[in-house]
Amino acid sequence: MGVASPFPYQGSKRQLADTILRYFPTDVERVIEPFAGSAAVALAGAANGLADKFWLNDIDRSVMSLWEEIVNAPEALLSEYAKLWHAQKGQEREFYDVVRDRFNRSRSPSDFLYLLARCVKASVRYNSDGEFNQSPDNRRKGAHPKRLRRRIMEASRLLAGRVKLTSCDYTEVLAEALRGDLVYMDPPYQGVSNGRDPRYRDTITFEAFLRALDSANERCISYILSYDGRTGSKQFGRPMPEVLGLLHIQIDAGRSSQATLLGRDANTVESLYLSPALVARIHSDLEKRHQTASPEQLRLLDLT
């Protein structure tokens, strides 16, 4: 059972969450997302009763401030969002700029929620000074407050009282992971993190990330990693090296929306990597878990 995202966020794995959950052990004590974003996998895990405790972390403090409001003060957050949504009527473009300027001064969670609901591709972008500078999608007014209420209240219900919320470097989170945990990681692809986005610049490099994974392997940490993928012949991200001993599974994520816009017929294939400790935990019924995949996904399974 999937869960609607409490807020729009580019790169969300909501559509793939059910497939990712297929590789969860039955004895997960805590689900950890070091690169939480909209936390689609943790929410799906909570909705399906796969863990009792959760830890959400994101280096973007604004994302985690929003999560704090969703979990601990959803009514106040929704009230402020509704005011913004109704106030924009007839002046949507100008109003967006006013809210964006105010957010860059105050970092208000309700302003951030409004910007996410209105900005292009729900894609968070900051300039070199750390100011939110993404443009609005002028075709969209953002989710109606009633629709957003259902999503946010459901997320709050699933996580309230049993989630830890932090904003720190992913290595700090991995260092505290325990053997009974399940860590799900969806970091930015190599080539994205070292670009214009200061959320990740100088905080995650391919080599440092490999060292962190190697350390987690030595400590027998169970983790699932979404990292590279491809659309047609275009590759995104560098595949994980074989020396890490990860089980590589390729998932057919369906037709690429970008390819469709360009008049092309190309599917997106995303990679999942399972850590050696996780494979050991689910080894007895690993093939059965594969058998629940769609024929297209079975065709893409890479067990070599």
Side-chain angles (χ1 to χ4, degrees):
M1 179 177 63
V3 180
S5 298
F7 54 87
Y9 201 79
Q10 188 179 53
S12 170
K13 290 299 186 289
R14 184 174 68 86
Q15 297 296 335
L16 298 179
D18 287 345
T19 299
I20 295 169
L21 293 188
R22 185 177 297 127
Y23 300 100
F24 271 45
T26 57
D27 58 348
V28 176
E29 296 178 9
R30 179 176 58 172
V31 174
I32 302 175
E33 287 207 45
F35 306 92
S38 61
V41 172
L43 283 173
N48 286 274
L50 297 182
D52 292 324
K53 296 180 180 180
F54 303 86
W55 182 358
L56 304 184
N57 176 82
D58 200 287
I59 194 68
D60 188 338
R61 182 61 211 169
S62 294
V63 170
M64 296 316 302
S65 293
L66 179 54
W67 268 114
E68 288 169 2
E69 293 294 302
I70 290 171
V71 172
N72 300 314
E75 289 289 358
L77 175 67
L78 287 163
S79 176
E80 290 301 314
Y81 175 82
K83 291 177 183 177
L84 295 171
W85 193 87
H86 289 292
Q88 71 178 339
K89 187 175 181 180
Q91 53 175 345
E92 288 83 1
R93 180 63 183 88
E94 298 83 359
F95 191 80
Y96 180 93
D97 290 342
V98 170
V99 174
R100 184 175 61 184
D101 289 344
R102 186 174 63 209
F103 169 75
N104 284 329
R105 295 191 304 269
S106 69
R107 301 291 164 166
S108 162
S110 56
D111 285 348
F112 188 56
L113 179 60
Y114 174 80
L115 294 174
L116 286 174
R118 289 281 323 277
C119 71
V120 173
K121 297 182 180 180
S123 176
V124 176
R125 291 290 181 269
Y126 299 102
N127 62 24
S128 58
D129 295 323
E131 296 175 327
F132 188 97
N133 66 348
Q134 183 63 292
S135 301
D137 183 340
N138 292 315
R139 300 167 299 175
R140 300 167 52 210
K141 296 183 180 180
H144 191 282
K146 289 184 179 179
R147 187 181 309 118
L148 197 64
R149 166 173 285 275
R150 291 192 294 269
R151 298 174 180 176
I152 285 181
M153 294 307 294
E154 176 67 1
S156 182
R157 182 188 68 81
L158 289 170
L159 297 177
R162 52 182 185 150
V163 64
K164 178 179 179 180
L165 304 172
T166 59
S167 181
C168 59
D169 189 78
Y170 72 95
T171 57
E172 298 178 48
V173 179
L174 273 179
E176 292 190 34
L178 304 174
R179 292 192 179 192
D181 295 331
L182 189 284
V183 182
Y184 173 69
M185 290 177 281
D186 184 23
Y189 292 148
Q190 177 76 359
V192 175
S193 59
N194 295 330
R196 295 174 296 172
D197 191 343
R199 287 178 299 164
Y200 301 109
R201 189 170 56 222
D202 300 328
T203 66
I204 175 170
T205 65
F206 190 69
E207 292 73 20
F209 188 56
L210 295 186
R211 290 194 296 271
L213 295 183
D214 186 52
S215 176
N217 286 346
E218 291 180 356
R219 295 167 46 234
C220 297
I221 301 301
S222 296
Y223 61 83
I224 299 173
L225 169 65
S226 294
Y227 195 74
D228 58 274
R230 69 179 189 273
T231 297
S233 60
K234 186 174 182 180
Q235 184 76 27
F236 300 97
R238 295 163 61 181
M240 291 291 107
E242 294 183 3
V243 68
L244 288 174
L246 307 180
L247 176 61
H248 184 197
I249 299 169
Q250 298 184 73
I251 300 173
D252 187 339
R255 190 172 182 180
S256 164
S257 57
Q258 184 64 28
T260 300
L261 288 173
L262 297 174
R264 301 169 186 165
D265 186 8
N267 278 24
T268 295
V269 176
E270 299 203 22
S271 290
L272 287 185
Y273 293 92
L274 277 56
S275 71
L278 175 57
V279 172
R281 285 172 78 177
I282 65 175
H283 178 73
S284 61
D285 63 346
L286 184 56
E287 289 301 322
K288 181 179 179 181
R289 292 169 189 259
H290 289 328
Q291 289 167 9
T292 62
S294 69
E296 292 79 9
Q297 290 166 356
L298 284 171
R299 175 174 54 81
L300 291 165
L301 285 174
D302 178 4
L303 301 180
T304 58

